[in-house]
Amino acid sequence: MIEMIEQAHEQLIKTIQQRMAASGGCFEDHGGFIFYDLQTPENDTHLRGITINANFKKSEEEALKALLTRLKKEERAKWSVRCHPAISSSINTLLQAAGFVGPDTYPIMTRNSPINWTYKHAVSEASETSVLEPCQALLAEVFKLEKKTAKLVISEKLFLEDRENLLAYIAEDREIRCLGLLTGTADSDIYGLYYIATDSAHRGEGLAKDLVAYLTNRAFAKGAKSVILQASSLGEFVYRHHGYTEIARYANFVFER
């Protein structure tokens, strides 16, 4: 189980680094923690924050404190710190003393085999630039992002040029109603699901269930041994329905003006 948690964490870090590199964002590796910033105004914690790794050492506390102080002086209103599940609770005191509120926790979930599933909706994969704009628009609406930020998250470089990554969607009546992202790297057998988004007017129609099943099965077709995700309270039911199991919980702290 410990090995699986560490593999899931490593996949998360690779995805963050890949996203920053493709979009011109900042990625700083401090050893025991990383800092990433897509340099956009939104409060989406997928786009900026700190992730503390399992190998965080007491000797790195001063460097972390300095970074936290720097972030609090930023004009942008919200920053988050995500802590590896193995991190001692002593880090809570440090973060709370710096003015970060928490922790809130959310599950890391995984599945180790394909899903036997009968699809109710046709799922497509992005292969042309024409589909990117409507997908970006839905992502912006669901996750409350600016359009320019959605373009960085769903970029041509990440999802058309890099064939390890995949943007899948369900379209009906020429409208994108659900989408999701699958990310991976050629040197990893762990793939991750991110940004599952369903048009609010079409929730409850089984779109997300079809999309999650499709992306999960595509990951295994690509050679994955496991698929991981970080579940929101809204999406957790769908993932459990598909047999994803919780292996640990991230602790998340937030500083907000």
Side-chain angles (χ1 to χ4, degrees):
M1 182 66 75
I2 294 175
E3 181 180 0
M4 185 68 239
I5 294 170
E6 192 56 38
Q7 288 177 340
H9 185 74
E10 289 176 2
Q11 201 283 333
L12 168 67
I13 299 303
K14 287 181 179 179
T15 298
I16 292 172
Q17 186 172 19
Q18 185 184 61
R19 188 176 292 153
M20 295 301 116
S23 305
C26 172
F27 182 91
E28 299 176 7
D29 187 345
H30 294 264
F33 62 95
I34 67 162
F35 168 65
Y36 59 98
D37 183 5
L38 200 53
Q39 299 172 341
T40 60
E42 282 86 6
N43 290 332
D44 188 322
T45 55
H46 284 84
L47 305 180
R48 69 170 184 267
I50 299 169
T51 294
I52 300 179
N53 302 324
N55 63 343
F56 182 82
K57 299 179 179 62
K58 190 171 181 60
S59 59
E60 296 173 305
E61 286 187 1
E62 291 305 316
L64 177 60
K65 288 179 182 178
L67 178 56
L68 295 173
T69 300
R70 186 181 104 197
L71 299 186
K72 288 167 62 179
K73 293 178 180 179
E74 280 266 355
E75 293 183 0
R76 287 173 290 177
K78 188 174 182 179
W79 294 89
S80 72
V81 179
R82 177 195 292 112
C83 296
H84 187 288
I87 289 294
S88 167
S89 59
S90 63
I91 197 70
N92 295 7
T93 303
L94 185 155
L95 294 171
Q96 290 165 350
F100 282 70
V101 177
D104 291 327
T105 65
Y106 55 91
I108 308 168
M109 306 183 78
T110 185
R111 184 178 169 93
N112 301 320
S113 62
I115 298 170
N116 183 12
W117 187 250
T118 301
Y119 297 93
K120 296 180 180 179
H121 307 86
V123 182
S124 303
E125 297 182 14
S127 59
E128 299 179 353
T129 56
S130 60
V131 78
L132 295 184
E133 185 173 347
C135 285
Q136 292 160 353
L138 178 59
L139 185 77
E141 178 185 348
V142 173
F143 286 93
K144 312 300 183 190
L145 304 177
E146 291 188 2
K147 289 184 179 180
K148 63 181 180 181
T149 303
K151 288 181 180 180
L152 294 175
V153 176
I154 300 181
S155 67
E156 182 175 345
K157 183 174 183 179
L158 274 177
F159 292 101
L160 294 184
E161 297 177 13
D162 187 339
R163 304 314 300 171
E164 291 298 322
N165 299 323
L166 189 153
L167 163 61
Y169 62 92
I170 296 173
E172 295 178 353
D173 297 327
R174 298 184 179 182
E175 294 182 354
I176 304 294
R177 296 188 175 178
C178 188
L179 66 84
L181 312 181
L182 176 70
T183 65
T185 57
D187 62 347
S188 174
D189 53 15
I190 307 290
Y191 276 68
L193 297 189
Y194 296 92
Y195 283 113
I196 306 299
T198 303
D199 187 329
S200 58
H202 297 282
R203 289 176 184 161
E205 298 177 7
L207 297 169
K209 288 180 180 177
D210 277 357
L211 195 76
V212 169
Y214 183 87
L215 288 172
T216 300
N217 291 339
R218 284 292 281 118
F220 287 108
K222 285 174 169 284
K225 292 183 179 177
S226 296
V227 182
I228 63 104
L229 56 87
Q230 302 163 63
S232 66
S233 57
L234 188 63
E236 187 173 349
F237 168 79
V238 174
Y239 307 131
R240 291 193 185 279
H241 179 86
H242 277 317
Y244 276 84
T245 57
E246 180 179 327
I247 58 172
R249 282 188 170 257
Y250 274 119
N252 195 62
F253 293 79
V254 173
F255 174 81
E256 190 167 9
R257 298 187 191 282

